[in-house]
Amino acid sequence: MGKITVTVIKADVGGFVGHSSVHEELLATAREQLAKSPLLVDFHVTHVGDDINLIMTHRQGVDSEEIHKLAWDTFVACTEVAKKLKLYGAGQDLLADAFSGNVKGLGPGIAEMEFFERTSEPIIVFAADKTEPGAWNLPLYKMFADPFNTIGLVIDPKMHEGFKFEVLDLLENKKIIFNTPEDLYDLLVFIGAPGRYCVKSVYTKAGEIAATSSTQRLNLMAGRYIGKDDPVLIVRCQSGLPAVGEALEPFARPHLVSGWMRGSHSGPLMPVSVADATPSRFDGPPRVIALGFQLADGKLIGPQDFFADKAYDRAREMALMIADYMRSLGPFEPHRLHLEEMEYTTLPLVLEKLKDRFVKA
Ligand code: 13P
Ligand code: 13P
Ligand code: MG
Ligand code: MG
């Protein structure tokens, strides 16, 4: 059999209630739409916070117009339901009036990869709400380049050579490949600034795809505040790639990400089950879910809801402690994002209003 493609496309087309979750009727609509398609080998519809995630397998390759249109039409159908229920921000992420060839640039986030399915093909789909694509930088670094996280880098001869990181400059629209461990320090200079540089994909040294993320920044595309991008990430595991537990391990210590309330705050990324993926406090804290699947001739066997595991209870405790502390700073940086980031939210509107009151000092 030929290659299989795993495509994850996500969008917020209306929140229930506010920006906290997705109404069951929208998820049902998405499932109905995808079930009608003859193109899909399999699919799984889920949500994290107010974002719907369409996890699809097919044999059309990446950037397939048909698959992208299927996702677009599905989100349009969900938007109709969201409008009927008067959900919050109905159609929020659909920036264009109509579909034109590829969902990239139209609002929905997309991560997809094509590969020959191995004898056993474990994959994890991570999805986050109330944050931005750069949120994956730190976990991807740990999974694929940090021997304190991934012992396989040290003791598995199949991983010893290291990996290749493809990094995007989201402001300049450029990309660069870093080889690890050789370019480790160069890599970190850039991906330590996740608001601008973000890891798009990770490859083995032989060029096999290992991980890929969604990297669009809605506010840069729309030129105004829409919401955060709430990114997704696909990671292949085992047999020369990080073990499932190595791919999950970075989330045991919640890192600070940009997003949270009004997309304008820094807060801990809290790992949760799908059932707990309902940001509430100050519209957060930001959440991440991890769904594991075994592929079987393209069928998605699963999901395994990894962060439902008790082993992540402490991470949640820690995230809540960090959330308490960060919240205590109120409107002050670094809880509130620094000015450069605020330029992509609602700050310019406030500045515009006050511009005549600024006089020479
Ligand atoms: P693999 O080499 O099959 O990935 O085994 C490693 C493992 O499962 C350790 O947790
Ligand atoms: P979303 O990006 O998840 O829609 O959240 C927007 C927001 O402003 C939350 O306070
Ligand atoms: Mg929303
Ligand atoms: Mg969201």
Side-chain angles (χ1 to χ4, degrees):
M1 223 180 273
K3 288 183 172 180
I4 188 79
T5 305
V6 179
T7 297
V8 183
I9 304 188
K10 52 78 47 185
D12 172 353
V13 294
F16 170 65
V17 171
H19 289 286
S20 66
S21 190
V22 175
H23 193 281
E24 187 53 45
E25 234 186 280
L26 270 67
L27 296 174
T29 303
R31 288 181 188 118
E32 271 163 36
Q33 295 293 317
L34 296 188
K36 281 194 273 185
S37 168
L39 294 174
L40 299 183
V41 176
D42 203 359
F43 68 85
H44 179 79
V45 173
T46 189
H47 81 99
V48 55
D50 57 6
D51 291 272
I52 301 175
N53 301 285
L54 312 177
I55 303 169
M56 302 173 282
T57 56
H58 56 89
R59 302 203 181 271
Q60 311 298 308
V62 299
D63 284 325
S64 154
E65 182 165 344
E66 286 83 359
I67 298 295
H68 286 214
K69 184 165 190 319
L70 173 65
W72 179 266
D73 291 344
T74 300
F75 289 133
V76 169
C78 292
T79 300
E80 288 310 308
V81 179
K83 283 184 177 154
K84 185 189 78 186
L85 301 177
K86 297 184 72 175
L87 299 180
Y88 194 70
Q92 172 176 288
D93 287 358
L94 305 187
L95 301 184
D97 295 330
F99 179 73
S100 57
N102 191 306
V103 292
K104 276 181 204 153
L106 301 185
I110 174 158
E112 51 182 353
M113 49 162 76
E114 187 185 25
F115 50 82
F116 285 108
E117 189 180 297
R118 295 169 294 168
T119 313
S120 182
E121 186 67 62
I123 63 165
I124 304 175
V125 175
F126 294 92
D129 187 34
K130 305 295 178 273
T131 187
E132 60 181 17
W136 305 129
N137 284 7
L138 185 147
L140 282 170
Y141 166 75
K142 285 191 170 176
M143 285 177 218
F144 289 95
D146 179 5
F148 278 74
N149 180 90
T150 298
I151 185 61
L153 293 166
V154 181
I155 63 175
D156 180 353
K158 298 191 293 292
M159 296 182 75
H160 223 82
E161 265 184 60
F163 292 91
K164 295 196 287 191
F165 283 70
E166 182 184 88
V167 174
L168 297 187
D169 175 343
L170 297 179
L171 293 188
E172 299 259 319
N173 253 326
K174 287 185 187 158
K175 62 179 183 182
I176 177 170
I177 304 272
F178 292 103
N179 294 298
T180 56
E182 308 88 286
D183 299 335
L184 212 53
Y185 302 149
D186 293 328
L187 170 73
L188 286 170
V189 169
F190 295 98
I191 67 170
R196 173 160 180 180
Y197 297 96
C198 95
V199 180
K200 175 70 193 168
S201 298
V202 181
Y203 298 89
T204 64
K205 286 278 167 74
E208 182 77 10
I209 185 80
T212 195
S213 68
S214 62
T215 47
Q216 97 290 17
R217 281 197 60 184
L218 277 175
N219 302 326
L220 296 183
M221 274 155 37
R224 67 193 151 89
Y225 178 61
I226 305 262
K228 275 290 179 200
D229 307 297
D230 304 336
V232 291
L233 167 69
I234 311 169
V235 180
R236 297 172 73 194
C237 298
Q238 306 287 159
S239 313
L241 301 174
V244 165
E246 289 168 338
L248 297 173
E249 178 66 7
F251 299 93
R253 182 170 294 256
H255 60 296
L256 292 173
V257 297
S258 297
W260 206 343
M261 175 59 77
R262 297 171 190 272
S264 306
H265 293 79
S266 178
L269 185 61
M270 183 161 80
V272 291
S273 63
V274 175
D276 286 336
T278 49
S280 59
R281 182 181 181 189
F282 202 54
D283 284 0
R287 313 273 156 133
V288 56
I289 57 168
L291 298 187
F293 298 92
Q294 289 288 155
L295 291 188
D297 298 322
K299 287 273 176 208
L300 290 159
I301 310 303
Q304 183 68 256
D305 188 351
F306 282 122
F307 292 150
D309 187 15
K310 285 185 170 48
Y312 282 86
D313 284 353
R314 288 256 183 81
R316 287 186 273 273
E317 281 293 315
M318 191 186 290
L320 296 177
M321 262 166 52
I322 298 169
D324 278 339
Y325 174 73
M326 295 302 278
R327 282 299 303 126
S328 74
L329 303 179
F332 285 81
E333 297 178 7
H335 180 33
R336 196 187 75 182
L337 298 185
H338 56 86
L339 281 181
E340 208 180 297
E341 282 289 328
M342 294 291 291
E343 276 170 30
Y344 300 104
T345 68
T346 43
L347 185 72
L349 302 174
V350 179
L351 291 180
E352 175 62 25
K353 203 175 106 194
L354 294 177
K355 71 174 192 307
D356 296 335
R357 288 175 56 188
F358 275 100
V359 293
K360 204 167 165 28

